Amino acid sequence: MDIGEKIKRMRIEKQLTQEELANRCELSKGFISQLENNLTSPSIATLIDILEILGTNLREFFNEIDDERICFTKDDMFETEDEDLKYTFKWLIPNSQKNEMEPVIITLYPGGQYKEEKPHEGEEFGYVLAGSVYVHIGDRKSKVKKGESFYFKPRANHYISNAGKTEAKVIWVSTPPSF
């Protein structure tokens, strides 16, 4: 692993200059430069400080993610059905609940609805692929048709329903995962 290059990449991703990173870590700009060019090695304590400013920790930093899967097939997806509420629910990414967002496809049959969720931190986004749905947030109810989307911060009880006579299909993304 090229520690210096990885620190430089993370610093740039955070839109920090070498001087800004150095100041936040109480180090010199020269030390950061030498570190990024692999001309010096930090102590463990210094590396922990640098990584904290860069929003990570030792475990995540040294965990190589080059082999992380980025493409998924139908075989990776998991589907469940609720006959009482009249919907099917498909997780598009395996184990997505451990990620920062959770994309799913919900198919609501005529008269169906997804279960009501309680308020939580984060944001929710949906795009209607087919039919139309109602988005219920607290006492508010909004109709969203095919080709339209919804986006909200779930600060009240919320769910979607299908009052139409045809099937409705929605891509729904929640952050953090809540499904």
Side-chain angles (χ1 to χ4, degrees):
M1 170 184 278
D2 186 338
I3 292 174
E5 175 60 33
K6 191 165 183 179
I7 288 173
K8 180 178 182 177
R9 186 177 72 244
M10 293 174 73
R11 173 183 61 77
I12 291 169
E13 285 173 4
K14 293 284 184 185
Q15 298 180 346
L16 295 173
T17 64
Q18 287 181 343
E19 189 168 359
E20 289 169 330
L21 178 59
N23 289 341
R24 292 181 188 191
C25 298
E26 298 179 354
L27 300 167
S28 70
K29 178 184 173 193
F31 180 81
I32 298 296
S33 177
Q34 288 180 348
L35 179 60
E36 289 182 355
N37 290 298
N38 294 311
L39 299 174
T40 190
S41 297
S43 68
I44 295 296
T46 298
L47 182 58
I48 289 170
D49 289 344
I50 292 169
L51 296 179
E52 185 176 318
I53 297 300
L54 295 174
T56 190
N57 57 45
L58 284 173
R59 188 172 137 256
E60 290 177 5
F61 182 77
F62 287 107
N63 182 17
E64 291 288 349
I65 58 169
D66 292 337
D67 60 347
E68 181 179 40
R69 281 185 67 192
I70 57 171
C71 298
F72 302 92
T73 66
K74 288 182 180 182
D75 293 337
D76 297 314
M77 298 174 192
F78 175 74
E79 191 167 331
T80 186
E81 185 170 4
D82 186 315
E83 292 179 2
D84 293 334
L85 293 177
K86 301 179 184 173
Y87 71 82
T88 59
F89 192 88
K90 185 187 293 188
W91 283 269
L92 300 174
I93 308 296
N95 300 315
S96 61
Q97 63 275 12
K98 68 179 174 46
N99 297 329
E100 292 187 33
M101 66 176 163
E102 185 176 25
V104 299
I105 291 182
I106 298 177
T107 302
L108 296 170
Y109 302 107
Q113 76 171 55
Y114 184 65
K115 63 185 177 187
E116 185 169 345
E117 293 189 347
K118 298 200 178 303
H120 58 85
E121 289 294 317
E123 301 168 316
E124 304 213 5
F125 163 81
Y127 178 80
V128 181
L129 296 168
S132 64
V133 297
Y134 284 101
V135 179
H136 304 261
I137 305 168
D139 295 332
R140 189 172 169 189
K141 178 178 168 182
S142 304
K143 187 172 187 174
V144 187
K145 297 180 268 183
K146 177 182 176 180
E148 297 178 344
S149 61
F150 58 86
Y151 176 91
F152 62 94
K153 294 186 180 191
R155 295 190 178 118
N157 285 11
H158 55 283
Y159 65 96
I160 59 174
S161 67
N162 179 3
K165 295 180 179 166
T166 61
E167 186 177 279
K169 192 173 281 198
V170 177
I171 292 178
W172 197 344
V173 180
S174 177
T175 179
S178 66
F179 297 116

